[in-house]
């Protein structure tokens, strides 16, 4: 059983930063103590000047396998994840074919078992006509059920009112929703098509996939969850208005309605479309500076519970198309922790809060066993971070299969030295 000793470290865990050594035996954290003898370990990592934190748990990724492997696959994207300090991921069902049956879901677990470099779980997909399959989902195996309340990549729009009532009243596990009102988006699309034809500028994206579209859908999801007592987790909040739907008076373990923020909605705003174009086309759209600032504030004050990526690669060729043809989504998982640490360098968030939102809270929310914390007896899912080792994102160091990043040219002050 191989053992590793990390010495001279500053551990960040459960709201505290403290000096300690940490001894790993096999897969587990064996001992956390002030000084541990090097004779106890096969290998020693001197983490002097660095921080040791639990591995990041990303609750929303699209790794494109099966069916879309020209963009990404579970091996390549899990490799990018690990390089960025992410040790666990939860992958979405809008692959090809969509994971709408137990058999298709099981196939993804097989791929994960054979090729993933990180820990994995997969969401079961909901459609307008697969409620029986959804209800067969083993609760202890999956992270939850994913409902696209508004179309995104793939053909999984759930817009049938009876289906939504069925899901919220019968599913006894976490329901994760993509919330954008489809009718509002279609109406806005027609307005801008009338004005610009097929050449709609990318700057119109947040006006088409508008605040109204997001709030209308999110508030409907919250109303359904409250009506049936369902556990609801709303993904990628993109507007300040939606924040009124969430609470910060209860501990996370007692909340029935929770929310996620994604890196891009805190990093970019609508002024960035001028330089980044369709590379920052996401659903829901990157919106105003006011929205951007409000989301980060809500992460800090506890109205938003977790930070994730919605890592969703497309080829550069696909992304370089015109507004309607360019798909939404982009690669982020390798750079999520460095980006959050950049907010720390800017004085916007503490290191302890970064760890809470990216490591502890996803573990609590999704009942992840023995991960997300630095504790004796827990899995040794660990990232070592040097906050004084700057680097520049370029094509030569991007590990996502698509080979590009919206962060290209960005200097990050922090490096992940070990995972």
């Amino acid at each position: 059983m191989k053992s590793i000793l990390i010495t001279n470290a500053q551990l960040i865990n459960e709201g505290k930063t403290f000096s300690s050594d940490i001894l790993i035996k096999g897969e587990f954290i064996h001992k956390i103590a002030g000084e541990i003898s090097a004779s106890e370990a096969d290998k020693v990592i001197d983490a002097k000047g660095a921080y040791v934190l639990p591995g990041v748990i990303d609750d929303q990724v699209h790794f494109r396998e099966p069916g879309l492997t020209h963009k990404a696959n579970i091996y390549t994207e899990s490799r990018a994840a690990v390089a960025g300090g992410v040790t666990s991921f939860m992958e979405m069902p809008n692959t090809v074919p969509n994971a709408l049956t137990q058999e298709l879901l099981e196939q993804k677990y097989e791929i994960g078992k054979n090729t993933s470099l990180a820990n994995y779980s997969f969401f079961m997909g909901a459609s307008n006509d697969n409620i029986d399959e959804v209800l067969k989902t083993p609760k202890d195996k999956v992270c939850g059920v994913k409902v696209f309340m508004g179309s995104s990549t793939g053909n999984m729009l759930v817009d049938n009112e009876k289906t939504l009532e069925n899901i919220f009243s019968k599913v006894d596990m976490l329901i994760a929703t993509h919330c954008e009102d489809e009718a509002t988006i279609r109406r806005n699309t027609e307005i801008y098509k009338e004005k610009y034809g097929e050449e709609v500028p990318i700057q119109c994206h947040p006006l088409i996939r508008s605040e109204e579209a997001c709030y209308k859908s999110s508030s409907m999801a919250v109303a359904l969850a409250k009506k049936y007592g369902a556990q609801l987790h709303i993904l990628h909040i993109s507007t300040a208005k939606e924040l009124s739907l969430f609470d910060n008076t209860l501990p996370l373990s007692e909340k029935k309605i929770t929310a996620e923020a994604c890196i891009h909605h805190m990093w970019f705003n609508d002024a960035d479309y001028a330089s980044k174009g369709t590379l920052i086309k996401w659903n829901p759209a990157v919106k105003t500076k006011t929205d951007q600032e409000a989301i980060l504030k809500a992460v800090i004050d506890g109205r938003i519970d977790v930070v994730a990526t919605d890592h969703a690669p497309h080829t550069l060729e696909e992304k370089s198309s015109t507004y309607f043809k360019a798909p939404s989504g982009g690669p982020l998982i390798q750079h999520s922790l460095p980006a959050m640490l950049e907010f720390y360098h800017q004085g916007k968030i503490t290191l302890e809060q970064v760890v809470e939102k990216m490591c502890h809270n996803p573990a609590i929310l999704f009942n992840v066993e023995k991960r997300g914390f630095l504790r004796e007896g827990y899995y040794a899912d660990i990232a070592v971070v040097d906050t004084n080792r700057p680097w520049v994102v370029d094509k030569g160091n991007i590990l996502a299969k698509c080979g590009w990043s919206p962060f290209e040219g960005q200097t990050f002050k922090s490096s992940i030295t070990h995972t």
Side-chain angles (χ1 to χ4, degrees):
M1 188 166 64
K2 192 171 168 64
S3 57
I4 299 169
L5 175 63
I6 303 172
T7 61
N8 299 316
Q10 291 288 311
L11 272 58
I12 306 173
N13 192 53
E14 299 180 75
K16 298 191 180 96
T17 299
F18 55 98
S19 299
S20 184
D21 290 356
I22 184 163
L23 179 64
I24 298 156
K25 285 194 177 178
E27 290 184 81
F28 297 96
I29 296 171
H30 180 70
K31 191 194 293 187
I32 298 171
E35 277 188 40
I36 300 171
S37 168
S39 65
E40 293 192 49
D42 302 317
K43 181 182 177 182
V44 177
I45 295 168
D46 188 349
K48 190 172 173 62
Y51 293 98
V52 172
L53 33 145
V56 170
I57 300 172
D58 193 328
D59 79 342
Q60 187 189 184
V61 304
H62 303 262
F63 283 179
R64 306 300 190 202
E65 190 173 10
L68 298 164
T69 52
H70 68 287
K71 303 174 197 270
N73 60 55
I74 287 170
Y75 169 72
T76 58
E77 307 317 284
S78 65
R79 181 181 61 174
V82 170
V86 179
T87 53
S88 301
F89 63 84
M90 302 177 201
E91 210 263 353
M92 290 296 164
N94 54 334
T95 39
V96 179
N98 299 151
L100 295 172
T101 68
Q102 296 305 313
E103 289 73 23
L104 290 167
L105 185 63
E106 189 53 43
Q107 283 171 24
K108 293 181 83 167
Y109 275 92
E110 273 300 303
I111 298 166
K113 187 171 84 171
N114 293 325
T115 67
S116 180
L117 298 178
N119 309 306
Y120 53 87
S121 186
F122 298 94
F123 282 90
M124 176 64 183
S127 70
N128 277 328
D129 52 14
N130 79 328
I131 187 68
D132 292 341
E133 282 291 317
V134 168
L135 295 176
K136 288 182 203 166
T137 307
K139 196 176 176 179
D140 59 343
K141 184 166 183 175
V142 304
C143 33
V145 172
K146 173 67 183 285
V147 183
F148 287 92
M149 292 174 65
S151 65
S152 193
T153 310
N155 186 30
M156 289 183 59
L157 170 64
V158 180
D159 56 358
N160 182 307
E161 210 168 301
K162 180 82 173 78
T163 302
L164 287 169
E165 296 268 348
N166 252 337
I167 291 167
F168 279 87
S169 63
K170 291 178 180 174
V171 170
D172 66 347
M173 64 180 82
L174 181 141
I175 300 165
T177 56
H178 175 129
C179 287
E180 291 182 285
D181 181 64
E182 186 65 15
T184 304
I185 293 164
R186 283 181 183 152
R187 193 169 62 245
N188 291 339
T189 301
E190 288 313 309
I191 291 166
Y192 285 92
K193 265 190 170 176
E194 209 169 291
K195 191 172 179 182
Y196 294 104
E198 289 299 312
E199 300 302 314
V200 172
I202 181 63
Q203 283 84 348
C204 299
H205 189 52
L207 306 173
I208 292 172
R209 301 189 86 96
S210 62
E211 175 193 79
E212 179 200 4
C214 294
Y215 184 79
K216 192 171 182 184
S217 183
S218 293
S219 56
M220 179 189 184
V222 168
L224 283 164
K226 285 180 175 175
K227 180 177 178 182
Y228 293 109
Q231 186 184 356
L232 169 67
H233 183 52
I234 300 187
L235 303 166
H236 43 45
I237 295 298
S238 66
T239 73
K241 187 174 183 180
E242 289 169 284
L243 299 172
S244 63
L245 299 168
F246 307 107
D247 184 21
N248 61 1
T249 62
L250 291 171
L252 177 56
S253 58
E254 292 174 26
K255 285 188 184 185
K256 294 282 277 187
I257 295 167
T258 53
E260 170 209 88
C262 286
I263 297 297
H264 47 288
H265 292 122
M266 294 182 283
W267 191 274
F268 300 104
N269 63 52
D270 55 7
D272 294 306
Y273 288 115
S275 59
K276 297 284 182 183
T278 51
L279 295 184
I280 61 165
K281 184 187 178 194
W282 278 282
N283 298 342
V286 166
K287 296 186 175 69
T288 68
K289 192 165 197 275
T290 303
D291 294 312
Q292 176 191 22
E293 289 170 351
I295 292 163
L296 181 56
K297 188 175 177 214
V299 165
I300 292 160
D301 73 22
R303 284 171 294 163
I304 291 180
D305 305 285
V306 300
V307 167
T309 61
D310 193 15
H311 175 91
H314 300 283
T315 67
L316 197 53
E317 186 184 4
E318 289 166 335
K319 287 294 277 185
S320 302
S321 196
T322 55
Y323 171 68
F324 286 116
K325 289 180 182 167
S328 292
L332 286 165
I333 201 162
Q334 188 179 345
H335 306 113
S336 58
L337 182 53
M340 289 304 292
L341 293 171
E342 209 61 24
F343 292 140
Y344 154 72
H345 285 290
Q346 293 164 10
K348 293 176 179 174
I349 194 168
T350 67
L351 291 172
E352 294 81 5
Q353 286 167 330
V354 171
V355 169
E356 179 191 15
K357 298 297 175 174
M358 300 187 85
C359 313
H360 301 339
N361 282 5
I364 294 166
L365 180 58
F366 290 90
N367 295 311
V368 182
E369 194 179 339
K370 293 188 177 180
R371 303 188 196 276
F373 294 86
L374 299 176
R375 292 175 180 166
E376 291 177 0
Y378 270 52
Y379 287 98
D381 294 1
I382 291 172
V384 182
V385 171
D386 187 339
T387 54
N388 294 301
R389 190 188 283 194
W391 62 292
V392 181
V393 179
D394 63 43
K395 285 200 171 11
N397 55 35
I398 292 167
L399 293 178
K401 187 176 182 180
C402 66
W404 66 273
S405 167
F407 286 119
E408 276 174 68
Q410 174 69 43
T411 299
F412 286 123
K413 291 190 174 76
S414 302
S415 296
I416 289 82
T417 62
H418 302 73
T419 306

